[in-house]
């Protein structure tokens, strides 16, 4: 599965990564497996890791005052997930991260993150690009959530992330899109009828 990580890094960088740089980065991460429905991070607790998903699915969410979960991010193979607010600030977490399927992940803690970035300019650039792209995607998502109807948001989501619509429960996708599960069900039926 190291090839998945290497492919991901090289795709983000837009060029080949030397074996020396990749091996140095591998020395900074460690693998771990989790069962389904395991919490990798919890709201109110410090998030100590960034997780690269080698196999499985995870999502992050917040819980409102009524106790309702609001999905914030999904991660399948080849994606990263964390509570970056907590990870970088060393403050209490604002998100909970939970496995949706049994998962095999690579973990990177704060100290190893700093070490990897200091030792290898390519890895430093990779993480800068990764965080930059995540910020841009978040801004885009917020703009679309506030300016487009639910059907348009679902259509774009399903086109951009076809694997997610197959493996992520529909009620969580509805939550991520800011709509009720019943509305998503209606939208999906209407789209199916148009085909």
């Amino acid at each position: 599965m190291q090839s998945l990580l290497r492919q991901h890094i090289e795709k983000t960088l837009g060029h080949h990564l030397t074996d020396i740089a990749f091996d140095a980065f591998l020395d900074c991460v460690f693998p771990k497996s989790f069962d389904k429905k395991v919490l990798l991070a919890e709201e109110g607790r410090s998030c100590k890791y960034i997780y690269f998903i080698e196999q499985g699915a995870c999502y992050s969410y917040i819980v409102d005052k009524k106790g309702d979960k609001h999905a914030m991010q999904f991660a399948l193979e080849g994606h990263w997930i964390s509570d970056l607010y907590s990870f970088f600030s060393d403050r209490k977490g604002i998100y909970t991260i939970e496995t949706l399927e049994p998962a095999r992940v690579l973990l990177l803690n704060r100290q190893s993150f700093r070490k990897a970035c200091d030792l290898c300019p390519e890895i430093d650039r990779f993480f800068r690009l990764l965080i930059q792209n995540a910020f841009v995607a978040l801004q885009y998502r917020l703009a679309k959530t506030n300016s487009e109807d639910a059907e348009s948001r679902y259509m774009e989501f399903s086109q951009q992330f076809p694997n997610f619509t197959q493996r992520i429960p529909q009620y969580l996708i509805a939550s991520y899109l800011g709509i009720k599960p019943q509305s998503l069900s209606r939208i999906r039926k209407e789209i199916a009828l148009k085909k």
Side-chain angles (χ1 to χ4, degrees), residues 71 135 182:
F135 181 71
Q182 302 88 330

Side-chain angles (χ1 to χ4, degrees), residues 34-65:
F34 298 95
D35 290 329
K36 182 178 180 177
K37 293 195 169 274
V38 171
L39 300 183
L40 304 182
E42 289 183 73
E43 177 185 355
R45 294 179 181 246
S46 179
C47 182
K48 299 185 183 308
Y49 301 100
I50 298 175
Y51 304 90
F52 179 76
I53 311 303
E54 288 189 306
Q55 184 177 355
C58 304
Y59 78 114
S60 66
Y61 61 88
I62 58 172
V63 179
D64 65 22
K65 291 181 181 178

Side-chain angles (χ1 to χ4, degrees), residues 78-111:
H79 289 86
W80 294 85
I81 193 165
S82 185
D83 180 339
L84 293 181
Y85 168 80
S86 177
F87 183 82
F88 287 118
S89 70
D90 200 20
R91 295 182 181 156
K92 290 181 181 178
I94 55 176
Y95 299 113
T96 297
I97 302 171
E98 183 177 330
T99 57
L100 289 167
E101 301 171 354
R104 191 171 64 240
V105 303
L106 294 175
L107 289 81
L108 180 66
N109 66 28
R110 287 185 203 103
Q111 181 180 356

Side-chain angles (χ1 to χ4, degrees), residues 8-9 12-13 25 49-51 73 79-89 108 110 113-114 117 122-140:
H8 173 67
I9 293 170
T12 303
L13 289 173
F25 183 59
Y49 301 100
I50 298 175
Y51 304 90
Q73 181 186 357
H79 289 86
W80 294 85
I81 193 165
S82 185
D83 180 339
L84 293 181
Y85 168 80
S86 177
F87 183 82
F88 287 118
S89 70
L108 180 66
R110 287 185 203 103
F113 174 84
R114 286 189 211 103
C117 291
E122 292 287 276
I123 296 301
D124 186 63
R125 181 171 179 266
F126 163 71
F127 278 112
R128 181 182 56 78
L129 289 170
L130 195 67
I131 293 167
Q132 172 184 302
N133 293 342
F135 181 71
V136 168
L138 177 62
Q139 285 193 318
Y140 182 79

